[in-house]
Amino acid sequence: MTTMTAREKAIQEQFSLRMDEGELLNCMRCGFCLPSCPTYIETGFDESHSPRGRIALMKAVHDGLIAPDEEVEHSLNVCLGCRACEPVCPAGVKYGHLLEEARDIFADYNEYKPQTKAMRKTVFDGLFPHQNRMEHAVTLLGIYQRSGLQKTARKLGFMKLFPDSLQAMERALPEVPKRSEMKKRGSAFTTLAEKQASVAFFSGCLMDTMFLETNKATITLLQKAGCDIVIPDGQNCCGALHGHSGEKDGAKELARRNIDAFEQTGADYIISNAGGCGAFLIDYDHLLKDDPAYAERARAFTAKIKDITQILFELRFHERFPLAIDSQVITYQDSCHLRNVMHTHIAPRVLMQAIDGADYREMEKADSCCGSAGIYNIVETEMSMQILDHKMESAKATNAHTIVTANPGCLLQMKLGIEREGLSESVRAVHIVDLLLEASLNDSVE
């Protein structure tokens, strides 16, 4: 091995101290993960872009056998973090935990360019931890959409200055609500049927701004299913973006605030309607395992986490209410984290298949990543679009009129795919909550 730089030596020492050696050794190099890894497949079966290969790289850095150089960091960054490798691993390796720790170590020693450093500080410290600022940012987007600026920018060809993927992404953005609408949403709601449970709703940051209508639909469905609902004012961003981007300390602080907020509700369950958020929330017990003040509280918190589709399934929503839509073919794109981390994939399918008028057709490789992966489609655009193009081939093969998802990032990515394929006049992408509300005929319980 060549002599390591001072930075590489510091990173290697942190790998030795912080990486879970037992978890690294758990990988048997069997290769069961390989067919499930999108980047392994998309790179033409490059071992360094497989879970097995990345774990081997982490172990080699941990043992001081190789330098933690740019190639190692690039391999980790190209990973989608979809965690599709985990359900198929016979040894139960927690690959996602290893990946997050490794990225965090690299981030601690990265010398970012001034503009990158400023951007990260703005996003991770100045925006996502503060819901009022998120509301303000989305309000500005709404002004852009409603004031005529959007039409003018398109007419003048301003958007052509950006890459094709960003042009399509701008067209795929939903119409966002006004700030006054965001402020109107209440914090407590009473069941519309015989009470089945009391729940606390994790409303999220993007979900409670850009996707406010989906949050409203979630509340209505929970009310109809027999839930009293409280939305804690003290909650904040789940921390997933921080945790996946090498900002682990920020993720821990957000986790502590959420635990503080939700503990006070005394709810039976904590409900999420975003697969990415739910998966990070349910990992708080791992995130805070070394925090003496929060470790036990985090375990109690994660034990209550459920996705909206899971609780609707358990409360027999699909059996108690008539569900119907205009005749159409629908298909489903799994949220990676909802399926691979929260292990929720049967419930959404049962709910969709119960809708009269919906011809449900399973998409080939519906459980493979769509390429969104948080901000992956922005920072690793080429790979993301390559994955999306293959995903759209599978979607088109179903002849679906409606592509259903269960996560905001997946929803935007599928809308982007529809735009890229020129299908916006014949195909739509919707969140499963919005589809279920559309299919709900009345408020009476059988």
Side-chain angles (χ1 to χ4, degrees):
M1 185 184 70
T2 57
T3 303
M4 286 190 280
T5 65
R7 173 182 177 271
E8 289 173 343
K9 185 175 180 181
I11 292 173
Q12 191 276 320
E13 289 175 350
Q14 288 303 305
F15 262 69
S16 296
L17 291 170
R18 291 168 52 182
M19 296 298 293
D20 187 333
E21 185 175 16
E23 201 66 65
L24 291 169
L25 289 170
N26 276 344
C27 177
M28 302 181 297
R29 314 290 191 263
C30 66
F32 276 85
C33 59
L34 301 182
S36 299
C37 178
T39 54
Y40 175 71
I41 295 168
E42 295 293 343
T43 57
F45 313 114
D46 184 340
E47 185 72 25
S48 68
H49 290 304
S50 73
R52 179 175 69 179
R54 291 181 177 111
I55 290 174
L57 290 174
M58 294 181 213
K59 182 67 167 62
V61 171
H62 173 278
D63 294 345
L65 300 178
I66 63 171
D69 56 19
E70 290 182 1
E71 289 187 16
V72 174
E73 186 174 15
H74 176 67
S75 173
L76 299 179
N77 287 339
V78 171
C79 178
L80 291 147
C82 68
R83 296 172 70 167
C85 51
E86 293 186 13
V88 299
C89 178
V93 175
K94 297 296 184 184
Y95 171 81
H97 296 165
L98 293 172
L99 178 67
E100 287 178 7
E101 192 66 37
R103 282 178 171 173
D104 192 58
I105 293 171
F106 270 105
D108 285 347
Y109 292 90
N110 274 342
E111 296 178 0
Y112 295 110
K113 295 178 181 178
Q115 59 268 36
T116 302
K117 185 181 293 186
M119 184 274 290
R120 288 178 67 91
K121 185 170 181 60
T122 297
V123 170
F124 295 124
D125 297 339
L127 183 58
F128 278 86
H130 307 281
Q131 190 62 15
N132 62 329
R133 297 178 189 175
M134 285 292 296
E135 291 173 1
H136 183 66
V138 172
T139 298
L140 293 176
L141 175 60
I143 292 172
Y144 166 73
Q145 291 177 332
R146 290 186 290 270
S147 66
L149 283 173
Q150 185 178 54
K151 290 182 180 179
T152 301
R154 292 175 179 177
K155 187 175 181 179
L156 294 176
F158 177 73
M159 294 307 301
K160 292 181 180 178
L161 298 174
F162 297 92
D164 290 345
S165 58
L166 286 181
Q167 292 180 46
M169 198 175 295
E170 187 266 351
R171 293 193 300 271
L173 287 173
E175 290 186 16
V176 302
K178 296 178 181 178
R179 193 166 193 181
S180 58
E181 295 176 53
M182 300 179 209
K183 294 296 185 183
K184 283 180 183 176
R185 202 253 303 123
S187 59
F189 302 85
T190 305
T191 178
L192 297 173
E194 182 180 351
K195 184 178 177 181
Q196 304 291 318
S198 62
V199 304
F201 178 40
F202 182 81
S203 53
C205 43
L206 276 180
M207 289 303 299
D208 219 27
T209 50
M210 187 176 293
F211 298 98
L212 181 64
E213 291 304 313
T214 301
N215 269 6
K216 290 180 180 178
T218 301
I219 293 166
T220 300
L221 291 177
L222 288 170
Q223 286 180 291
K224 292 179 69 172
C227 297
D228 284 341
I229 308 150
V230 62
I231 306 176
D233 291 333
Q235 67 173 294
N236 49 221
C237 172
C238 67
L241 184 62
H242 296 71
H244 300 329
S245 304
E247 297 285 338
K248 205 167 185 180
D249 286 343
K252 288 179 179 180
E253 181 55 33
L254 292 170
R256 294 184 190 103
R257 291 187 207 167
N258 279 325
I259 291 171
D260 289 343
F262 280 88
E263 275 181 341
Q264 300 173 20
T265 68
D268 301 321
Y269 305 110
I270 299 169
I271 304 301
S272 167
N273 62 3
C277 295
F280 201 74
L281 294 171
I282 211 167
D283 254 356
Y284 276 5
D285 56 345
H286 172 77
L287 184 68
L288 298 174
K289 66 182 181 354
D290 297 322
D291 187 327
Y294 279 87
E296 183 59 37
R297 295 164 67 186
R299 284 191 288 272
F301 176 90
T302 59
K304 293 185 175 185
I305 301 294
K306 283 185 187 292
D307 183 69
I308 176 64
T309 59
Q310 188 62 37
I311 193 168
L312 291 178
F313 171 75
E314 291 176 5
L315 295 179
R316 301 182 300 106
F317 183 83
H318 56 297
E319 297 174 359
R320 295 161 56 207
F321 296 95
L323 300 172
I325 56 175
D326 292 338
S327 180
Q328 60 192 272
V329 177
I330 67 173
T331 192
Y332 181 63
Q333 166 60 28
D334 282 285
S335 157
C336 294
H337 290 106
L338 182 60
R339 183 181 183 111
N340 300 326
V341 183
M342 298 185 76
H343 309 299
T344 300
H345 57 94
I346 294 174
R349 287 170 168 81
V350 170
L351 292 168
M352 286 183 288
Q353 290 169 8
I355 302 174
D356 187 33
D359 177 4
Y360 178 79
R361 298 181 189 175
E362 185 73 12
M363 185 194 307
E364 183 181 4
K365 296 184 178 178
D367 58 345
S368 69
C369 187
C370 64
S372 172
I375 59 172
Y376 187 93
N377 54 6
I378 297 173
V379 298
E380 297 287 347
T381 303
E382 183 177 354
M383 178 64 74
S384 175
M385 294 303 103
Q386 189 174 322
I387 291 169
L388 176 59
D389 289 343
H390 289 153
K391 177 61 65 175
M392 289 307 299
E393 290 174 9
S394 298
K396 287 190 294 183
T398 68
N399 294 314
H401 305 100
T402 301
I403 302 173
V404 186
T405 74
N407 185 62
C410 302
L411 179 59
L412 289 176
Q413 185 81 340
M414 298 315 296
K415 284 179 178 286
L416 174 58
I418 291 169
E419 285 286 341
R420 283 167 63 86
E421 295 292 331
L423 298 173
S424 56
E425 296 299 319
S426 58
V427 181
R428 63 173 180 160
V430 300
H431 193 289
I432 188 171
V433 163
D434 296 309
L435 181 72
L436 290 172
L437 186 63
E438 178 185 335
S440 297
L441 298 179
N442 57 62
D443 293 330
S444 62
V445 181
E446 292 183 346

